[in-house]
Amino acid sequence: MSLDVLTYLFIGGSFVLYIGIAIWARAGSTKEFYVAGGGVHPVANGMATAADWMSAASFISLAGLVSFIGRDGGAYLMGWTGGYVLLAMLLAPYLRKFGKFTVPDFVGDRYYSNTARVIAVVCTIVISFTYVAGQMRGVGIVFSRYLHVDINTGVIIGMAIVFFYAVLGGMKGITYTQVAQYCVLILAFTVPAFFLSLQITGHVLPQIGLGATLDSGMSVLATLDQLSTDLGFAEYTAGKKSTIDIFCLTAALMAGTAGLPHVIVRFFTVPRVKDARTSAGWALIFIAILYTSVPGVAGFGRVNLIQTINGTDNAGTEYAQMPQWFKNWENAGLLGWHDYNGDGKVQYAAGAAFDGKKGKPAFDGENRGEYGERAVTNAIADPAAVNGAPYANEVYVDRDIMVLANPEIAQLPNWVIALVAAGAVAAALSTAAGLLLVISTAISHDLMKTCINPNISDKQELMYARIAAVVAICIAGYFGINPPGFVAQVVALAFGLASSSVFPVIVMGIFNKRMNKEGAIAGMIVGLGSTMAYMIYFTFMGGAKEDLFLGISTGGFGFVGMILNFIVAYIVSMMTPPPPAEIQEIVENIRVPRGAGSAHAH
C-alpha cells in the first residue's frame, strides 16, 4: 500500500477516533467542561496528563533540537522532566487540596484580590498563547509533508479538528481523547526508535544505543563527534553554551513546567488528593518512555542524515541520486539545497546556507545576503573544513523535521512513516486542546463569572467558555501561521514566561503564610514584565547577542525573571500588612495531608 494511502488511513482514522470520543464524552455542565466531573481514574489521568504535557515540542522538535545542538540539548531533557517531578511533588497535591482548579482562581482566592486574579489571567493567557503557537505550527509541518498541502493550510485543518473536540467536549472530552492520543503518540515515537536502534547499533532499545560500537569500531557518540568536526561543526558531545546559560535554561524550564496552567488543572480531574499523587506517578512513567528514547533517536538521526547527504566519504552526493525523502521534504519547504559551487553535488557542512526558514537562498552568486557572505568568508578562510568545496554549506535543514524524516531516511516501512505522522498530530493536538481549554476557562470562569458578572447561570458560563475557545482557536491559528521561531524555541519561551510569573506566586502562596496580595501583584508584574521585555527585544527587535545579560539566552531569562519575582514579592510583602488571619489559616491547612475536598467550580 502506498505511503499516501497509509497516511490518510492513519491520520484520518485517528481523527475519527478523537471526534467520536469527544461526542461520547461531551460536557453537559461547567464541572464536566472544566474538570471532567472530577471522576477520572488515576491511570487514565496519568496517560491524559502525559499526552497533555508531551506536546509537539516533545514529539517533533526535542529530538531534532538535541540532534543539531548535541550535549546542550540535555538542558531541555533535564528541565522538562525535572520540572514535572517538581510539579508532582511540590505543587499539585496542595493545589488539589485547595480546591481551585485554575491558576487565576487559586491566585485570586489565596491573595484575596480580584486584581491579582486578573493579572494571573493575563499571565495564563500570554503563556498559553505562546505555547499553543508551537503546537499549531507542528500540526502545519506534519500536514504540509504528508497531506501535500502548505503549512498554513495544515494549521487551518488542525484548528478545525481541535474545534470539534475541545469546544464540544471540554475537559471531559479532552481527557478521554488524550488517553487515545497518548497511545498513538507513544507507539509512533518508540516503534521507529526501536527500528533505528536495531538498524544502526544492533540493540533494540534506543536508551542504550548511543554507547554501542558500530562497524567502524567507534561508538555512536564518537562517530558523531568525528562527523561533526570533519564538517566544521563543534563536537557533538561538547558544550557550546556557557554554564550559566545552561543552568538558567534548565531552571527556567523546570519552574516553567511546574507552573504550566494546562498541566496543573489535570490534577483536579481525579476524585481525591491521593489520586492526584498517584496519577502524577503514572504520568511520569508514561513520559519517561518517550524522554529516555530521545537522545538515541537524536543521535541515530544525525548519523543517518549526514551519511545520507554527504556519502560515507563526506564528498557529497549527486543531487540526481538523492533518495526520494530529500525531495519530499524539499517540496514541503522544510529542506533546501542550493548548488553554490555548481558541481551538482549536495554538500552539507557547518554554516548557514539559506536566509530564513523557507529555503530562500541567501545569495545566488550576485546578490549575497548576510548569511551567504558569512558562509563564503568561512569557506575561504578554512577550505579544508568544507572538503575542498568553495562554499561552506549548501543544505538547509529545518530542525523540526528530524523525527518526522527519520523513518524515511532509514528506509523504514511505509506503515511506520504513516504512524509517525499520526503520532505527531496527536502530540500537537492533545496539548493544543488543553491550552485552549485553559484560555477559555480563564476568560469564562475567572473573568466573566468571578470578576465581571457573578450572577450568570451555569448555562451562560458554559456558553462563554465555548465562545472563548472558538476565539482562542482562531488566534492560535494565526500564531501557528506566523510563529516567532521553530517549535521547541517557541515552547521554551512559554516555559520562561510561566517560570517568571505563575510559579513564584503559587509556591509562595502555598509555603509562605506572610505573603500578601501586594507582594504577589508586584512580583507577577515585575517577573512577567521583565521576561517579556527581554524576550521581545532579543527575539523580535534584533537585539545583539553581545548585549545578552550575562550571556543568558531568551529561553533561560525566565529564571532571572523568577528570581526578581521572588525578591520583589518578598520585599513588598514585608513592607505591607500581612494577609487576614483566615487566609493564613487556609495556607496552614492545605499542607496537612487529610480532609481533602473534591475539586469544585463555583
Side-chain angles (χ1 to χ4, degrees):
M1 196 174 292
S2 71
L3 175 59
D4 284 347
V5 172
L6 284 169
T7 303
Y8 290 134
L9 284 175
F10 276 62
I11 294 181
S14 66
F15 283 174
V16 170
L17 175 64
Y18 305 153
I19 294 172
I21 291 174
I23 294 172
W24 166 75
R26 62 186 179 276
S29 66
T30 51
K31 187 173 183 180
E32 289 184 341
F33 192 89
Y34 294 144
V35 292
V40 180
H41 191 279
V43 176
N45 194 58
M47 296 177 77
T49 304
D52 205 356
W53 185 74
M54 289 192 298
S55 62
S58 293
F59 189 98
I60 297 175
S61 205
L62 182 56
L65 188 148
V66 175
S67 182
F68 276 82
I69 68 176
R71 193 186 76 176
D72 289 346
Y76 292 85
L77 286 166
M78 293 185 294
W80 284 337
T81 310
Y84 184 79
V85 176
L86 188 67
L87 169 64
M89 302 302 295
L90 189 64
L91 303 183
Y94 305 114
L95 289 173
R96 175 65 180 77
K97 187 175 180 185
F98 193 84
K100 305 300 178 184
F101 61 86
T102 70
V103 169
D105 221 6
F106 170 81
V107 171
D109 283 21
R110 164 60 182 86
Y111 294 108
Y112 50 97
S113 166
N114 274 345
T115 302
R117 187 190 307 272
V118 171
I119 294 173
V121 168
V122 172
C123 293
T124 297
I125 291 174
V126 170
I127 293 163
S128 298
F129 271 130
T130 306
Y131 200 164
V132 81
Q135 313 314 308
M136 301 312 294
R137 172 73 177 177
V139 173
I141 288 171
V142 175
F143 287 161
S144 70
R145 163 63 186 90
Y146 295 107
L147 300 186
H148 307 295
V149 297
D150 60 55
I151 291 179
N152 295 350
T153 304
V155 170
I156 293 170
I157 294 172
M159 289 166 59
I161 299 300
V162 173
F163 171 85
F164 271 101
Y165 70 83
V167 176
L168 177 66
M171 179 57 80
K172 187 178 179 183
I174 287 172
T175 296
Y176 294 105
T177 301
Q178 285 173 337
V179 172
Q181 286 169 330
Y182 174 78
C183 296
V184 172
L185 76 86
I186 203 65
L187 281 173
F189 196 89
T190 54
V191 167
F194 294 152
F195 272 110
L196 282 168
S197 184
L198 188 62
Q199 184 184 78
I200 293 177
T201 70
H203 295 283
V204 175
L205 295 177
Q207 288 85 350
I208 61 174
L210 283 178
T213 302
L214 305 180
D215 293 339
S216 62
M218 296 190 299
S219 69
V220 175
L221 285 175
T223 301
L224 279 168
D225 278 343
Q226 182 175 324
L227 287 171
S228 298
T229 53
D230 285 350
L231 298 174
F233 297 99
E235 284 191 344
Y236 188 79
T237 57
K240 294 92 175 174
K241 290 177 173 284
S242 66
T243 301
I244 187 171
D245 191 21
I246 287 292
F247 175 83
C248 289
L249 177 59
T250 305
L253 292 172
M254 285 184 66
T257 298
L260 286 177
H262 73 291
V263 176
I264 289 173
V265 74
R266 291 240 56 95
F267 295 99
F268 292 88
T269 60
V270 291
R272 299 170 299 172
V273 174
K274 178 182 177 181
D275 296 327
R277 291 182 183 273
T278 303
S279 67
W282 278 108
L284 192 58
I285 293 171
F286 295 137
I287 290 166
I289 295 172
L290 187 146
Y291 265 59
T292 55
S293 303
V294 164
V297 171
F300 306 148
R302 184 71 171 168
V303 170
N304 267 346
L305 178 75
I306 293 174
Q307 291 184 341
T308 302
I309 293 178
N310 284 352
T312 54
D313 57 358
N314 274 342
T317 303
E318 293 285 346
Y319 181 75
Q321 298 175 4
M322 288 301 294
Q324 187 59 42
W325 70 264
F326 189 92
K327 296 168 185 178
N328 289 339
W329 286 102
E330 266 192 306
N331 293 334
L334 297 168
L335 190 68
W337 171 63
H338 192 73
D339 191 12
Y340 290 135
N341 61 4
D343 66 354
K345 289 185 176 182
V346 181
Q347 292 156 328
Y348 175 57
F354 291 93
D355 183 11
K357 306 196 80 177
K358 296 183 179 178
K360 179 183 177 182
F363 64 100
D364 56 11
E366 296 179 2
N367 179 28
R368 295 185 176 185
E370 176 191 357
Y371 295 111
E373 192 68 55
R374 189 182 307 137
V376 172
T377 303
N378 290 345
I380 293 172
D382 186 9
V386 291
N387 305 301
Y391 297 103
N393 184 25
E394 297 181 344
V395 181
Y396 165 76
V397 185
D398 191 299
R399 296 180 183 186
D400 288 337
I401 74 167
M402 282 303 296
V403 168
L404 301 175
N406 261 342
E408 292 179 87
I409 298 173
Q411 299 179 344
L412 298 183
N414 282 345
W415 68 267
V416 177
I417 300 170
L419 179 62
V420 169
V425 173
L429 293 183
S430 62
T431 303
L435 290 164
L436 292 168
L437 185 69
V438 163
I439 294 168
S440 67
T441 303
I443 293 171
S444 64
H445 179 74
D446 298 311
L447 278 182
M448 295 300 300
K449 174 73 173 178
T450 307
C451 297
I452 298 175
N453 187 4
N455 297 320
I456 60 174
S457 67
D458 190 76
K459 185 176 180 180
Q460 288 175 311
E461 187 181 350
L462 190 59
M463 179 189 70
Y464 284 126
R466 287 183 165 136
I467 293 172
V470 172
V471 175
I473 288 171
C474 294
I475 297 174
Y478 172 81
F479 284 121
I481 292 170
N482 301 282
F486 64 91
V487 175
Q489 184 185 49
V490 175
V491 170
L493 296 180
F495 279 80
L497 294 173
S499 66
S500 63
S501 60
V502 174
F503 178 75
V505 294
I506 295 176
V507 171
M508 292 184 291
I510 294 171
F511 297 101
N512 184 354
K513 292 190 296 183
R514 182 63 177 76
M515 184 53 56
N516 60 14
K517 64 180 180 181
E518 292 84 1
I521 291 169
M524 282 191 289
I525 291 174
V526 170
L528 181 67
S530 61
T531 304
M532 280 193 70
Y534 193 85
M535 290 179 173
I536 290 170
Y537 178 71
F538 287 104
T539 303
F540 303 109
M541 298 178 63
K545 188 177 180 180
E546 296 75 23
D547 296 334
L548 289 169
F549 176 68
L550 299 178
I552 299 172
S553 61
T554 51
F557 192 81
F559 175 72
V560 178
M562 180 184 74
I563 298 300
L564 291 174
N565 188 329
F566 274 118
I567 292 173
V568 169
Y570 180 78
I571 292 174
V572 172
S573 67
M574 290 297 103
M575 296 172 63
T576 48
E582 60 269 22
I583 297 296
Q584 297 190 48
E585 184 179 350
I586 290 172
V587 175
E588 183 70 31
N589 288 339
I590 63 173
R591 295 201 299 271
V592 179
R594 55 179 192 273
S598 61
H600 63 278
H602 49 212

